[in-house]
Amino acid sequence: MIELSDIQRQLVLAMLSQAALTFVVLLMLPVPRIMALRAGKVTRDAAGHPIFPKWATQVADCFNNQFQVPVLFYVIVILTLWLHVESDQTVWLAWAFVALRVAHAAVFVTTNFVPVRFLLFLVSSVLVLQMGLQVVGPVL
């Protein structure tokens, strides 16, 4: 078993939690699509591509969103661990990021109220930026 410090363990757990969120949204993908297909609510565009109802599209968009800012989070956590520049503040920022991303996904797949969703996106992005500055600061 690999020996990790408490800080390293917390960063890895935060990263795995963010990955778990991605898998939860992935597992949600077929539900609204199957429901729409069964209800006959899927139409086709001029090119013959399926057009799903709003909720099915929201879940798909939420899944795609998990490969945007969260990817930067993964890179920053890996760099933090590799460069050994982790701190208690980095752990706090990482877990706050994950919590905000869970809230963001919850809003995305339910009400999709854009002002709240955008605020959650913005604050979580600022946290990732702060984490990144903590990594590059000691290196530079």
Side-chain angles (χ1 to χ4, degrees):
M1 184 165 180
I2 298 172
E3 289 293 322
L4 298 174
S5 70
D6 289 338
I7 288 174
Q8 291 170 327
R9 184 175 290 103
Q10 287 298 314
L11 289 172
V12 169
L13 287 173
M15 190 168 54
L16 291 174
S17 296
Q18 177 59 45
L21 171 62
T22 302
F23 281 107
V24 167
V25 177
L26 173 64
L27 292 173
M28 289 177 63
L29 274 175
V31 174
R33 289 182 177 192
I34 290 170
M35 289 171 55
L37 284 167
R38 286 185 177 163
K41 304 250 183 192
V42 179
T43 58
R44 301 230 174 241
D45 66 10
H49 300 111
I51 300 173
F52 288 95
K54 183 180 170 185
W55 185 52
T57 302
Q58 282 174 223
V59 175
D61 289 348
C62 182
F63 178 71
N64 289 334
N65 191 263
Q66 301 309 311
F67 298 97
Q68 296 171 7
V69 176
V71 172
L72 297 174
F73 172 73
Y74 297 134
V75 169
I76 290 167
V77 170
I78 290 167
L79 280 173
T80 298
L81 295 168
W82 184 52
L83 297 172
H84 302 284
V85 293
E86 66 267 4
S87 68
D88 289 333
Q89 183 181 14
T90 305
V91 170
W92 183 90
L93 289 167
W95 280 110
F97 173 80
V98 172
L100 288 169
R101 292 302 302 187
V102 167
H104 177 267
V107 170
F108 213 142
V109 300
T110 58
T111 65
N112 199 25
F113 187 59
V114 174
V116 171
R117 198 181 91 204
F118 177 72
L119 180 63
L120 293 166
F121 171 83
L122 182 64
V123 174
S124 66
S125 297
V126 169
L127 295 181
V128 166
L129 176 61
Q130 179 63 35
M131 286 177 68
L133 292 173
Q134 286 183 336
V135 173
V136 298
V139 173
L140 298 177

